[in-house]
Amino acid sequence: MPQIDEMSAKIGVISLGCPKNLVDTEVMIGTLKERGYEFVQDIAQADVVLINTCSFIADAREEAFGAILEAGQQKRYGSVKGIIVTGCLPQRYKERLRLMAPEVDVFLGVAAYKDIEEAVEGALRNKRYSEFPDLDMDQEFDRRVVTTSPPTAYVKIADGCDNRCSYCVIPDVRGPFRSRPVESVVEETRRLVEDGYSEIILVAQDTTRYGADLYGEPRLAQLLTELAAVPGLKWLRILYAYPESVSDELLEVMTSHDNIVKYIDMPVQHLNDDILRAMNRRSDSAQIYETIDRIRAADPRFVIRSTVIAGFPGETPEQLLEMAEGLKRANFNRLGVFAYSQEEGTVAAELPDQVDENEKAARRDTLLNQQATISYQHNQARVGEECEVLVEGFDPRSKLYFGRSYAEAPEVDGTILIKTNRKLQPGTYHKAKIVKALNYDCVAELLPETEGTES
């Protein structure tokens, strides 16, 4: 295969998985962009395809292999010269992946940002190898190129996990919990806000544990206090809080700053105590309910999102019913429901009484159908509410703009559909009044007296 001059090479990027993965991808893009490489949207026009993968559950692996297969077709029949696969999939399967995906030139683990320049050079020279650098938090975030639409950007405050939930591979794949220093996060946030990113979303595998490894105690409350003082920061949002770590101090900080949105993503995974113990979760159902009550008592505006797993090994119909009743009690504003995925190498994968795939899907659907009613009731209670909406785009089919209020996180929650005769620019904030509730979305009318604010 003919080689190509490195400095004229075009790179196509596919980033899969969670926002934490996206930040890793953005760091790699920044490194390569400084090196002078050109990036293309269509991988058919690329010389090298970079795929950053997730392997958390079976669906994520299927998506990753689909992307690898597509890139492989372009390499076989098109202009692609090399393929680099990074992230959780190669970190988890290491050399086994070479047999599973022989079309890939270079495999790098979750610390791929350390060796991405050499990987591109190697792929262009048809060099085939795998590399798994040590895991740490020394990414050069100042070189990062944000790929989300302004004014929204994610900031990764920690990586890895120490919780060892019995169904989860993340501690083995991404290593132990590692926080960034407060100063590093504040500096990156300040830089992003100066560049026009007024909604900052903090992500980590366990956000509420932030700082415990560096400072001997959690420092999320301190971090939020310092970030809230950054000039121009309009919305500060946190994801992935654990119920046992939502302290009164944290809630006090969140309620005392207007630019910290009253939104908590708090995965509980189940509400039956026997299943929670089998999952090796740190909270029992009583603590979960107590935390929910404290959050809502702190400020009734709080929106709580959660996730649960249906069909965990040994889950009986009675335990599923207990979870369904518990979800009514919890009354989450938002809820994701996943069918249990039997992951190789986890404790839960070896448990007896694995639930049939069709049964797991049926249990998931039962909980989702129940949540649709709960979600509609929450949205119905918002009718008449005036809120600020961040416009994200225009839907030509419905002829409505769409966006989010403080109550919706990107990608995972519903949207606000906006009725107006005015032309709105994506990335601007506008006051609107909610006039109609749908199961997961709301319809709002733009308030005529507002002009909107730029991001």
Side-chain angles (χ1 to χ4, degrees):
M1 181 180 293
Q3 295 181 3
I4 188 171
D5 176 59
E6 291 172 14
M7 299 312 297
S8 63
K10 297 180 176 65
I11 300 177
V13 179
I14 301 172
S15 187
L16 306 174
C18 67
K20 298 182 292 296
N21 234 29
L22 177 62
V23 173
D24 292 342
T25 301
E26 293 172 340
V27 171
M28 288 188 280
I29 291 174
T31 299
L32 295 172
K33 191 171 183 179
E34 282 193 359
R35 184 73 170 78
Y37 289 106
E38 179 184 349
F39 290 84
V40 293
Q41 295 287 335
D42 184 358
I43 67 168
Q45 299 173 3
D47 299 301
V48 174
V49 177
L50 167 62
I51 307 171
N52 194 13
T53 62
C54 174
S55 68
F56 182 48
I57 58 175
D59 287 348
R61 292 192 296 278
E62 290 175 10
E63 184 180 31
F65 279 113
I68 293 170
L69 180 62
E70 181 183 359
Q73 292 296 310
Q74 293 296 333
K75 184 179 180 183
R76 180 184 294 269
Y77 302 111
S79 61
V80 170
K81 308 295 189 301
I83 302 173
I84 302 170
V85 173
T86 69
C88 295
L89 193 69
Q91 186 77 38
R92 182 176 181 184
Y93 294 105
K94 292 188 166 61
E95 295 303 330
R96 287 170 54 189
L97 200 55
R98 175 67 64 193
L99 300 175
M100 301 163 68
E103 64 270 42
V104 175
D105 297 275
V106 181
F107 292 102
L108 300 177
V110 297
Y113 52 86
K114 295 182 177 182
D115 295 325
I116 193 60
E117 293 181 60
E118 294 82 355
V120 171
E121 294 168 3
L124 288 169
R125 292 187 172 93
N126 309 126
K127 183 180 179 182
R128 300 169 65 81
Y129 69 97
S130 302
E131 194 73 44
F132 304 97
D134 293 338
L135 305 178
D136 51 41
M137 280 297 292
D138 63 353
Q139 288 145 297
E140 297 184 55
F141 294 99
D142 58 335
R143 305 169 74 177
R144 171 185 169 203
V145 174
V146 178
T147 59
T148 47
S149 298
T152 300
Y154 293 95
V155 170
K156 185 167 71 169
I157 63 174
D159 205 349
C161 188
D162 294 334
N163 291 328
R164 293 285 173 182
C165 299
S166 66
Y167 51 83
C168 184
V169 299
I170 288 175
D172 293 324
V173 173
R174 301 202 72 97
F177 188 83
R178 308 176 303 283
S179 303
R180 293 171 62 186
V182 169
E183 299 79 13
S184 172
V185 177
V186 173
E187 176 56 32
E188 183 186 13
T189 300
R190 191 182 306 278
R191 188 170 58 250
L192 288 169
V193 173
E194 289 173 353
D195 288 342
Y197 293 93
S198 56
E199 181 188 28
I200 299 297
I201 304 176
L202 304 183
V203 292
Q205 193 59 40
D206 182 353
T207 311
T208 38
R209 186 177 171 81
Y210 169 77
D213 55 316
L214 291 181
Y215 307 110
E217 61 182 4
R219 290 287 182 89
L220 182 58
Q222 176 194 338
L223 178 65
L224 292 180
T225 299
E226 296 200 25
L227 292 177
V230 173
L233 177 55
K234 189 175 183 66
W235 284 353
L236 178 60
R237 188 185 302 272
I238 64 169
L239 300 182
Y240 318 127
Y242 277 59
E244 66 277 3
S245 302
V246 179
S247 65
D248 290 338
E249 179 192 17
L250 176 61
L251 293 176
E252 182 179 356
V253 169
M254 294 185 71
T255 55
S256 61
H257 295 277
D258 290 339
N259 60 352
I260 301 179
V261 298
K262 309 306 178 277
Y263 180 105
I264 290 184
D265 186 326
M266 188 179 71
V268 300
Q269 309 305 15
H270 214 283
L271 289 169
N272 170 270
D273 286 340
D274 290 335
I275 297 294
L276 286 168
R277 280 191 292 272
M279 289 179 165
N280 199 32
R281 300 287 290 181
R282 298 200 302 259
S283 295
D284 60 16
S285 59
Q287 187 174 33
I288 291 170
Y289 296 132
E290 188 270 339
T291 301
I292 293 169
D293 291 342
R294 279 193 299 110
I295 293 171
R296 292 197 165 122
D299 192 321
R301 295 174 297 171
F302 261 114
V303 167
I304 308 177
R305 172 182 170 80
S306 192
T307 55
V308 294
I309 297 172
F312 189 80
E315 181 189 65
T316 66
E318 291 76 18
Q319 290 168 330
L320 178 72
L321 179 61
E322 182 179 341
M323 176 155 65
E325 292 301 314
L327 290 173
K328 294 177 184 177
R329 155 77 172 83
N331 197 30
F332 292 121
N333 304 75
R334 318 272 186 247
L335 182 70
V337 184
F338 298 92
Y340 166 74
S341 179
Q342 186 177 10
E343 294 300 310
E344 176 187 5
T346 63
V347 172
E350 305 302 321
L351 291 176
D353 302 319
Q354 298 283 330
V355 179
D356 175 77
E357 292 295 328
N358 290 333
E359 177 62 21
K360 286 190 290 189
R363 294 182 184 189
R364 175 199 63 204
D365 292 347
T366 296
L367 297 178
L368 284 172
N369 289 336
Q370 173 180 285
Q371 181 61 28
T373 300
I374 296 172
S375 175
Y376 175 77
Q377 291 169 347
H378 280 294
N379 286 345
Q380 185 65 37
R382 297 184 69 188
V383 172
E385 172 191 317
E386 295 183 3
C387 59
E388 196 161 21
V389 178
L390 169 58
V391 178
E392 295 185 308
F394 180 77
D395 177 16
R397 295 182 63 182
S398 66
K399 293 183 169 50
L400 296 174
Y401 288 93
F402 59 89
R404 295 180 292 110
S405 71
Y406 84 95
E408 293 87 27
E411 304 296 334
V412 295
D413 293 332
T415 60
I416 306 289
L417 305 171
I418 308 165
K419 291 182 176 180
T420 180
N421 293 322
R422 293 170 51 190
K423 185 174 182 180
L424 306 181
Q425 291 297 322
T428 57
Y429 298 85
H430 295 265
K431 289 284 189 179
K433 181 177 181 179
I434 295 176
V435 296
K436 183 179 180 180
L438 306 174
N439 277 355
Y440 300 107
D441 304 326
C442 290
V443 180
E445 292 179 350
L446 198 70
L447 293 179
E449 66 273 19
T450 60
E451 295 299 325
T453 58
E454 295 297 326
S455 65

